[in-house]
Amino acid sequence: MSKMTMVQAINLALRQEMANDDRVVLLGEDIGRDGGVFRVTEGLIDAFGPERVLDTPLAESAIAGMAVGMAIYGLRPVCEIQFSGFAYHCFHQLESHAARLRWRSQGRLSVPMVLRAPYGGGVRALEHHSESREAYWAHTPGLKTVIPSGPRTARALMVSAIRDPDPVVFYEAKGLYRAYREEVPDEEEIIPIGRSQIVREGGDLTMIAYGAMVRPALEAAEELRASDGVETEVIDLLTIAPLDDTLILQSVTRTGRAVVIHEAPRSFGPGAEIVTRLMEGAFYYLEAPIARVTGYDLIIPYFSREKWYIPNVRRIVDAARQTLTS
Amino acid sequence: MTPRKSAKTTAAPVEREHGLHLLRSMVRIRRFEDKCAELYTATKIRGFLHLYDGEEAVAVGVLEALTADDAVVATYREHGHALVRGVAAGAILAEMYGRQEGCSRGRGGSMHLFDARTRFYGGNAIVGGGLPLAVGLALADTMQQKRRVTCCFFGDGAVAEGEFHESLNLAALWRLPVLFVCENNLYAMGTALRYAQAATDLAARAASYGMAAAAVDGMDVLAVEAAAHQAAAAIRAGEGPQFLECRTYRFRAHSMYDAELYRTRAEVEQWKQRCPIASFTERLRGAGLVSDGDLEAIEAEVAREINEAVAFAEAGSLEPVEDLTRFVYSERRLP
């Protein structure tokens, strides 16, 4: 057990999986000799050699497409795209091929690949370097979309993603990369894909968040307890798609009130699906309309206005109070 | 990797006034970039910063060949191009500060400088993203019988992207008026050209698409200028797209977050010996065309311009929050 940043925790997962399984190979831009733009793959080329840590040219479409081919032939490719905003070049390969080959071949082919990319704001960047577009992938049947919320979940989910028989898009909140350290066990730890976690228990209200939004949700929950005496349950989704609604339905059935939080733009965002599931499965238990605290329906602004865009504790608390009083 | 000797160089004579003009343009870029680095360190500028130090001769030489009617499409390392093209230093800096007085109203940042007046179509944060756009501009010009040139800058890294190949093929196939300028600084961020391309002669790659292509010493502003003039003239004469590979080197890191593990200090120092500004200054001096007084005057003038730009950016204001939802969809244009 040692305290690690999320960068180190993902590195640990990659290192252990590469040591355990020769089929695991990494490919991406600047990931080998240079150690990756965020240093997630640092040292792996020294440990496993350039045959398993492939420095590619700037060719995101080919990175994703090659991974499809490699996966079909039994390898376990893990691609890195430097920023999620550069992954649109991969869209064709993921949407048209990775996601469909199992279905199209009636199970004869499978594509056990992982596409990792840093996403989200909070590092005072701009546009492609700050945005949250996980809904593109979550909308595609056949892809799995996974977003850890910190070092420990990142490590445990990465192990599952690499071992998963299906293509996994693995988004890493870059604002969390070095935000804090957390105890990460040395021995193997796995969180199954498709399972969410209760990270704080409470009976008055349910907050549903993922990625970098889990921490402000927890802070908002603390504030609500301190100032309003409200006990908030916080659920960390971890897997966006396929969405497992068991836990959120159980929780909202108990609390009757829910706030859904994400950085992604509001309309047609992951929150829309989550709210719909709650309407379908917990409608008769609801005490108030479900609130969403999200990014707005526009391109995430430049650093000078980034804070206005990204959901913060204030906005979450306000939405929660509205939910509690209506 | 050592400087390539095969690239064309020139010892062409230069008029004093023109020589001073080229020198001043390169000095403007260098001092501007150095100021940006300082302001980034002071956290006035955020959102990544890619500086052009060492590559000044490329933007300065190439843009000499364009008229005001031509269009420019650039990369995320485009401050220098915007400056030379005529975007005010203050508007560029205010943009990096995220102020609404910036050339993109503080929405774009360092990588997304846009300016309609100078026909500067960005700033593009996505490697290779500008090439199809440039081909589209040129196609529209052709369809609308407008005889002008679209000049598209990109780096050696873009050559690996599919868009490069799609764009060059289409431009050649339809004989579109595009001047493709490859700023080959030998590294795509941290990956050396030799690790990214089996065939590293990029001009030869372009030629394979059926367009005239040349390589030039990108550290020699006169060589770049001469080659750009020749290419632009060919485009204006209806000979279709032209490709110019400028072999150059970036003196600073890829961005402000780059530990530069992929190249040696000795290599950087070796290239710095070929600094386009120092070498051109020496050349002018050797020919008796500039005096110390001229150099001091240039430095003083540039320092004044940059100080004014900083003051302009500092005095800038943030776009009101209620305006941030504007221009997601069509509406009346701002003046």
Side-chain angles (χ1 to χ4, degrees), chain B residues 17-50:
Chain B
E17 280 315 307
H18 188 59
L20 284 175
H21 162 71
L22 295 176
L23 182 62
R24 186 182 304 112
S25 297
M26 291 195 290
V27 170
R28 283 178 77 213
I29 298 177
R30 178 71 58 91
R31 300 294 172 255
F32 184 84
E33 296 292 59
D34 290 348
K35 178 57 77 176
C36 288
E38 184 189 318
L39 292 167
Y40 194 89
T41 307
T43 72
K44 298 280 189 181
I45 300 173
R46 294 286 88 186
F48 304 108
L49 190 68
H50 308 87

Side-chain angles (χ1 to χ4, degrees), chain A residues 15 38 60 74 91 113 130 149 188 200 229 255:
Chain A
R15 189 181 292 273
F38 286 100
E60 297 80 9
F91 196 83
M113 63 176 282
S130 297
S149 57
E188 183 172 298
R200 187 185 196 284
T255 62

